[in-house]
Amino acid sequence: MMEVAAPTQEETIITEGKAKVIYPSANQVFYNPVQEFNRDLTCAVITEFARMQLAEKGIDFVLPGEKELQKVVVDLSDNGEDCKMSTHENTPAPAERRTVTVGEACPEGLRVLEGLAASGLRSIRFACEVPGLQSIVANDFSTSAVELIKRNIQFNGVEHLVTANYSDARMLMYNRMGRNDRFDVIDLDPYGSPAIFLDAAVQSIGEGGLLCVTCTDMAVLAGNNGETCYSKYGSMSLKSKFCHEMALRILLHSLDLRANCYQRYIVPMLSISADFYIRVFVRVFTGQAKVKMSASKQALLYNCVGCGTYHLQRMGRAVPHGNNMKYSAGTGPAIGASCEFCQQKHQVGGPIWAEPLHDKTFVQKVLDASERNPERFKTSDRIEGMLSMVTEELDIPLYYTLDSLSSAVRCNTPSLLQFRSALLHAGHKVSLSHACQNAIKTNASPSVIWDIMRCWEKLNPVKREKLSETSPAYHILGTEPRIQANFEVRQDANPKSRRMGLKRFQENPEANWGPKARAKAGGGISTSLEERRKQHQNKRKGAPEDTSFKQFVCKKYKQGSCGLGDSCRYSHSLVDSEVESQDPSATDNTPAS
């Protein structure tokens, strides 16, 4: 075994999970400690995926600290009494099954690729924390990063599982497109957009393999740059209250669209929006018949610019026809030229993924495993809170927010429980969303939602005489509600995750906790955010005074109310000259003696 060089004074040892990595103080390799939740969740998801895959091959797991799952069977005795027995005590394990542990190379296990490994932290954590792996390739296209990965692999003693590789991630994946060469798990967590890697990823992932993708270019996906979003993901993003869930659906649409080119399709297992990024876990399968269904899974989005009402228009239709399916183009339009509630125009976004974001059965397995081993991850409490919310979510695209609904009608905001109770009393389903703290996901139509808001406004009236005739509130409140909303709080209006006080939306973990600066390719020292702020401190105060407004008269000085004196941006001298020219006593008309 090669001897590992000790860290220098310019280097730091970072401990995360079971891994310890050497990290240079210079910004040669990208690292963000706030992403620990991302890495913890990925370890949890891959663990359950490996457990599911290897169970079919007769291989079981042993995870340190995990409580053994006690399965209970019921034995009906002759006297009619139920006798419960633990399967572990009464049912012997089959002789052909075997067990693998963490850190052990499993020949039948998963082949994992981390396409952009940086320091190799994620790959080393996989080796130290996830059982049932055959091999891990930690790849990067930076020579300094690959050298650091090799040191960290030796530093953690996982040479038998992890291999460092220097290559363009795309070329590496394109070279592993053979049916027997594909990876079982591919993890892509780039700085910014993963768009350039998706085509190679959907081709080099094995049948039913797990593709894990992170996007941190939220300004693009959340609607600030819709044209850029279209060029990268093939979808127009909209700036709206539901932008974070829409970002997830744009990414899933892009993945499915690229997979369809090769007669493949995706099945989302878990899709989350957290902090400043989105993260999706999808399985990729091959099948021409299923690919034909993809058009009916995508939808265009119409979003009203006035009241925020949205409608989806499916791109295609799939109708059962005997033993087969009949495919056709979608029918429409779903809306009129203007919004039926506020008479404003619509923005068109998408296409987006219009099917469920998660596989609830798989998510429940990950959640159960986390609850059986709460000490496994530092962020276990947040994982449990996030996944609990995911299991409670309705499989309905997008959501409304209470503040946007109240803002549209210019009234105060009802409590979350009151609004949820009103929907439940009306016979509709409702849930929260992990993507937004005050979100309302419901199967109720927009007309029902606005009727509830009209009823709420009657209890909390607004001054309608002050409403402009062109405002959304004027049109919405001008229509009488067709239902009588009941705002009495119901017990089932408060979801279980909220009642239990689980950590669903974490507070800011540290100052300046957002996306960090990109790693420097040359390995030079990167200026920290705080240093850059000090450089720009008071920069505007030292700018030369703008005198372009001195050509205009100061109206406040003319009225005698300007107290700025010489520091006023507008002219006081022009006012004085005007007064002098208008005052006849200002001129000397005394005759000479």
Side-chain angles (χ1 to χ4, degrees):
M1 184 174 178
M2 294 179 61
E3 188 174 336
V4 186
T8 64
Q9 292 182 349
E10 290 77 22
E11 295 174 331
T12 306
I13 295 179
I14 295 175
T15 301
E16 185 179 291
K18 302 294 183 184
K20 293 183 179 181
V21 296
I22 302 169
Y23 180 69
S25 300
N27 193 25
Q28 298 173 338
V29 178
F30 183 79
Y31 172 75
N32 190 347
V34 178
Q35 290 265 32
E36 183 175 0
F37 169 73
N38 185 332
R39 292 182 281 269
D40 286 351
L41 181 62
T42 302
C43 288
V45 169
I46 295 179
T47 298
E48 290 312 302
F49 177 71
R51 194 195 304 267
M52 183 174 61
Q53 294 292 94
L54 297 186
E56 301 173 359
K57 302 177 182 180
I59 301 174
D60 294 324
F61 277 3
V62 173
L63 276 173
E66 185 175 60
K67 297 177 183 177
E68 193 173 4
L69 181 62
Q70 296 289 328
K71 295 182 180 179
V72 177
V73 295
V74 177
D75 178 33
L76 296 178
S77 58
D78 294 337
N79 56 11
E81 296 181 355
D82 294 351
C83 180
K84 295 184 179 180
M85 302 178 296
S86 171
T87 56
H88 295 288
E89 295 177 358
N90 299 277
T91 305
E96 63 273 11
R97 297 191 72 85
R98 63 189 183 88
T99 303
V100 293
T101 58
V102 174
E104 173 188 349
C106 178
E108 302 90 350
L110 306 181
R111 292 171 293 185
V112 182
L113 167 66
E114 185 185 4
L116 304 108
S119 63
L121 171 61
R122 192 178 299 244
S123 294
I124 293 170
R125 287 198 59 183
F126 291 163
C128 297
E129 300 177 32
V130 180
L133 303 182
Q134 180 186 130
S135 62
I136 304 169
V137 177
N139 178 76
D140 206 281
F141 204 23
S142 165
T143 53
S144 59
V146 172
E147 290 302 316
L148 184 62
I149 292 171
K150 292 178 180 178
R151 288 183 61 192
N152 285 325
I153 290 173
Q154 297 174 6
F155 191 65
N156 288 269
V158 290
E159 300 94 330
H160 61 295
L161 275 175
V162 187
T163 304
N165 186 75
Y166 171 76
S167 175
D168 185 330
R170 292 168 293 182
M171 298 310 300
L172 173 61
M173 289 187 283
Y174 280 133
N175 289 329
R176 297 289 292 269
M177 288 168 49
R179 190 175 297 273
N180 297 324
D181 297 330
R182 294 172 177 170
F183 295 101
D184 300 300
V185 178
I186 294 179
D187 191 303
L188 297 175
D189 189 358
Y191 186 95
S193 173
I196 61 175
F197 305 104
L198 300 184
D199 183 78
V202 295
Q203 296 183 73
S204 58
I205 191 74
E207 184 66 14
L210 185 67
L211 180 57
C212 319
V213 182
T214 299
C215 294
T216 58
D217 56 333
M218 292 303 293
V220 172
L221 288 164
N224 284 355
N225 306 97
E227 68 288 347
T228 305
C229 184
Y230 184 82
S231 67
K232 291 184 176 182
Y233 301 99
S235 178
M236 180 66 72
S237 59
L238 298 179
K239 204 169 186 178
S240 57
K241 291 293 184 179
F242 48 71
C243 61
H244 291 98
E245 182 176 324
M246 186 178 181
L248 286 169
R249 295 184 178 278
I250 287 174
L251 177 57
L252 292 175
H253 159 75
S254 184
L255 282 168
D256 193 55
L257 186 63
R258 296 174 196 233
N260 291 165
C261 297
Y262 310 102
Q263 299 299 310
R264 311 194 83 183
Y265 62 96
I266 67 166
V267 177
M269 306 301 287
L270 175 63
S271 309
I272 64 161
S273 170
D275 300 332
F276 53 84
Y277 60 89
I278 58 174
R279 177 78 162 165
V280 298
F281 302 87
V282 302
R283 296 186 70 183
V284 182
F285 296 91
T286 306
Q288 186 176 11
K290 290 285 188 179
V291 169
K292 291 181 179 180
M293 295 283 293
S294 291
S296 61
K297 297 177 182 178
Q298 322 298 326
L300 289 173
L301 172 67
Y302 296 91
N303 184 51
C304 175
V305 298
C307 62
T309 303
Y310 61 84
H311 300 270
L312 293 180
Q313 172 63 60
R314 295 274 180 162
M315 299 288 291
R317 297 177 63 202
V319 181
H321 186 71
N323 295 329
N324 301 314
M325 297 293 292
K326 184 177 181 180
Y327 306 99
S328 61
T331 58
I335 55 171
S338 59
C339 176
E340 61 178 302
F341 303 106
C342 70
Q343 309 307 313
Q344 301 286 329
K345 295 181 179 180
H346 293 92
Q347 285 185 322
V348 183
I352 62 172
W353 178 263
E355 293 295 300
L357 296 175
H358 326 281
D359 182 333
K360 298 289 183 66
T361 304
F362 178 77
V363 174
Q364 189 62 51
K365 290 180 180 178
V366 180
L367 178 59
D368 292 341
S370 179
E371 291 173 345
R372 292 197 305 270
N373 195 357
E375 302 299 325
R376 183 183 180 192
F377 302 116
K378 185 178 178 181
T379 62
S380 287
D381 53 348
R382 191 181 180 195
I383 290 176
E384 292 180 22
M386 179 74 77
L387 297 185
S388 296
M389 287 200 72
V390 165
T391 58
E392 295 169 351
E393 278 186 12
L394 292 177
D395 290 328
I396 295 171
L398 308 181
Y399 52 78
Y400 293 94
T401 60
L402 287 178
D403 58 327
S404 63
L405 293 174
S406 302
S407 176
V409 296
R410 297 292 187 266
C411 71
N412 61 356
T413 306
S415 72
L416 185 67
L417 295 184
Q418 285 176 317
F419 197 86
R420 284 172 57 90
S421 297
L423 286 167
L424 292 171
H425 282 302
H428 300 284
K429 296 180 181 179
V430 62
S431 76
L432 301 179
S433 170
H434 79 277
C436 181
Q437 193 165 3
N438 61 342
I440 295 291
K441 291 178 76 74
T442 178
N443 62 346
S445 64
S447 60
V448 173
I449 292 174
W450 289 121
D451 277 347
I452 291 175
M453 289 306 300
R454 292 183 185 109
C455 293
W456 176 256
E457 188 273 337
K458 289 182 179 296
L459 299 176
N460 304 268
V462 301
K463 295 180 179 180
R464 300 197 182 192
E465 63 275 9
K466 292 188 175 183
L467 297 178
S468 170
E469 293 184 1
T470 59
S471 67
Y474 180 86
H475 292 283
I476 294 172
L477 298 178
T479 304
E480 287 296 316
R482 288 171 290 183
I483 65 170
Q484 185 59 43
N486 182 359
F487 293 99
E488 182 182 352
V489 176
R490 292 172 46 143
Q491 185 176 0
D492 56 348
N494 198 13
K496 183 179 178 181
S497 62
R498 194 169 182 265
R499 292 197 309 268
M500 295 176 62
L502 299 178
K503 182 183 285 189
R504 302 172 302 155
F505 302 96
Q506 93 165 3
E507 298 178 358
N508 294 351
E510 59 184 30
N512 309 319
W513 62 280
K516 304 300 181 184
R518 184 189 294 269
K520 283 198 171 184
I525 301 294
S526 175
T527 308
S528 69
L529 183 61
E530 281 300 313
E531 290 174 348
R532 290 203 305 272
R533 283 180 173 173
K534 289 178 181 179
Q535 290 175 3
H536 295 291
Q537 194 75 21
N538 299 325
K539 193 172 183 179
R540 292 182 179 176
K541 292 182 180 179
E545 183 181 357
D546 185 3
T547 60
S548 60
F549 292 97
K550 287 295 184 181
Q551 58 182 314
F552 300 107
V553 172
C554 178
K555 293 181 179 180
K556 288 187 177 181
Y557 181 76
K558 195 172 183 179
Q559 298 168 357
S561 59
C562 181
L564 296 177
D566 294 337
S567 63
C568 182
R569 300 172 67 186
Y570 298 94
S571 176
H572 290 186
S573 59
L574 290 176
V575 178
D576 294 336
S577 61
E578 285 182 6
V579 173
E580 290 177 0
S581 63
Q582 295 174 3
D583 188 0
S585 63
T587 59
D588 189 5
N589 296 324
T590 306
S593 55

